[in-house]
Amino acid sequence: MNILVTGASGFVGQAVVRELVARGHTVWAGSRRGEAVAGAQGLTLDVTDPGSVERAVGASDPAAVVHLVGIIAETGTQTFERVHVAGTRHVLAATPRHARYVHMSALGAREDSASGYSSSKGRAEALVRASGLRWTIFQPSLIFGPGDDFFGRVLRELVSTAPVVPQIGDGSFPFRPVGVADVARAFATAAESDVGLGDTFALTGPEEFTFRQLLELELQALGKRKPIVPVPLPLMNLAVPLMQVLPRPPITRDQYAMLKEGNTAPNEPAKSVFGLSMQRLQDVLPQIVAPEASRRPAASAR
C-alpha cells in the first residue's frame, strides 16, 4: 500500500514509519522539512497550510493516511487551535474518500477540558467523526521509548537538577504509560486493514503508576538516591505561571493541568484487537535515560 504519514519525523512518527516499512508498505514521510525517515520517501508537508497538504497527498496517492502531527506547547503562531484543529481539518479535506484515515489523539481528549491541549484534541476528534472517511482514532497515554520527551527529558531533568526531587501535590495522580513499539503496531495495523474501523481506542500500557512511583522509577533507572519532597498544590499553582517566563519552562500550564488530571484507562480492547505485546516501562527506562538517549532530539510530532 501507499501510506502517507504526517508528523513522520517526530518521536512517534519515526516508530510508525519503521513499522510500516518493515511490513512492506511504500511509506511517504510528511514533515515540514521533508526529510527522508527510516527508509521512507520524504515529503514537505505543513498541516497549517492546506496547499501543502494537498500537494503531499497528490504526490503520495495514499491508500491510507496516518495523521500524527501534534504539539505539546504553544509557541508563537503554532497554537493548539492552528495545529490540532485546523491542521486536522486540512488533512481530512485532502484525504481521498476511499482511503483509510488513522488519527493520533490523546488520552483525556475532550472538548470541555481545562487543558487547551486536551480541548483542542477533543475538537479535532469531532472533526474526524464527522468527516465521512473510514477512520480510526487512537488516544495514547504517556508514550515511552528511547528519545521520548516525558521520561527522557522532563522527568530526567526534574530528578537530576536539584538535591531533592519535587513532587506535585501528594503524587497520587495515576498514569498508565504505553510503549512506542505498541503504539506503532496499533497504528500500522489500523492503516493496512479495517481492524478498528469507525472506533476510538485508548492506548495504555500493562501497569498503572502514581506520579510518585514514576519519580521513584526514574531515580532508580538513573542510579540516584534523593529524597522526594511534596510541593503543595497551592504553591505549585503560584509557581507554574512564573515558570512560563523561562525560554524552556520545566512544565507548561497545560502539562500541569494534565498531570493533575492523571492519564489512565484500561488497555483493553486495544490490546486484543491490535495484538499488542504490552511493553513494560521498567524494562525500557534504563535505555531511555541513558546519556546517548538524552542527546537525541525529543522531536514533537511535527
Side-chain angles (χ1 to χ4, degrees):
M1 294 171 60
N2 277 4
I3 300 178
L4 173 62
V5 179
T6 75
S9 62
F11 166 60
V12 176
Q14 292 178 51
V16 171
V17 168
R18 284 194 297 269
E19 180 71 19
L20 288 168
V21 169
R23 295 185 184 204
H25 299 294
T26 300
V27 184
W28 298 81
S31 67
R32 285 186 297 171
R33 288 188 291 273
E35 64 262 47
V37 175
Q41 172 69 45
L43 275 179
T44 301
L45 193 162
D46 180 351
V47 298
T48 66
D49 176 359
S52 171
V53 177
E54 290 168 7
R55 288 189 293 273
V57 170
S60 58
D61 186 26
V65 174
V66 177
H67 182 39
L68 302 175
V69 170
I71 55 174
I72 195 62
E74 297 179 309
T75 54
T77 62
Q78 301 303 296
T79 64
F80 295 137
E81 179 68 29
R82 191 163 181 246
V83 175
H84 294 162
V85 183
T88 295
R89 185 181 293 112
H90 298 156
V91 175
L92 290 170
T95 298
R97 298 297 96 181
H98 66 271
R100 287 284 280 112
Y101 175 89
V102 189
H103 184 79
M104 167 73 90
S105 186
L107 200 60
R110 64 178 195 278
E111 295 185 61
D112 63 348
S113 173
S115 158
Y117 172 88
S118 297
S119 173
S120 66
K121 286 287 191 178
R123 283 177 282 135
E125 283 191 12
L127 293 174
V128 175
R129 295 190 180 98
S131 68
L133 293 171
R134 300 166 61 238
W135 56 267
T136 299
I137 295 172
F138 288 112
Q139 298 175 329
S141 179
L142 297 171
I143 302 174
F144 64 84
D148 78 43
D149 191 53
F150 186 75
F151 294 97
R153 184 187 68 83
V154 175
L155 281 196
R156 195 177 194 280
E157 291 178 1
L158 188 67
V159 305
S160 299
T161 56
V164 299
V165 178
Q167 171 189 287
I168 298 172
D170 64 4
S172 64
F173 320 119
F175 296 89
R176 197 159 184 161
V178 61
V180 70
D182 286 308
V183 173
R185 188 173 296 111
F187 272 87
T189 301
E192 69 183 7
S193 69
D194 283 344
V195 174
L197 187 65
D199 211 344
T200 301
F201 296 90
L203 284 180
T204 58
E207 298 172 73
E208 185 172 286
F209 304 94
T210 65
F211 182 62
R212 184 180 182 89
Q213 287 172 326
L214 292 181
L215 292 175
E216 291 169 344
L217 285 173
E218 191 86 4
L219 283 167
Q220 181 180 351
L222 286 166
K224 295 182 180 293
R225 299 185 65 178
K226 293 183 179 182
I228 298 175
V229 179
V231 181
L233 290 181
L235 184 57
M236 285 295 302
N237 294 340
L238 293 173
V240 170
L242 296 176
M243 294 177 190
Q244 307 314 300
V245 302
L246 300 173
R248 195 179 188 188
I251 184 170
T252 67
R253 286 187 178 91
D254 255 71
Q255 289 169 329
Y256 179 52
M258 289 186 285
L259 280 173
K260 289 189 294 182
E261 288 181 359
N263 201 260
T264 187
N267 62 9
E268 292 287 359
K271 178 184 175 183
S272 297
V273 171
F274 298 98
L276 306 182
S277 61
M278 293 286 99
Q279 196 171 40
R280 297 173 71 241
L281 174 62
Q282 301 94 312
D283 296 337
V284 187
L285 199 51
Q287 299 170 251
I288 296 172
V289 302
E292 61 272 16
S294 67
R295 287 196 298 267
R296 296 172 193 164
S300 72
R302 294 301 314 281

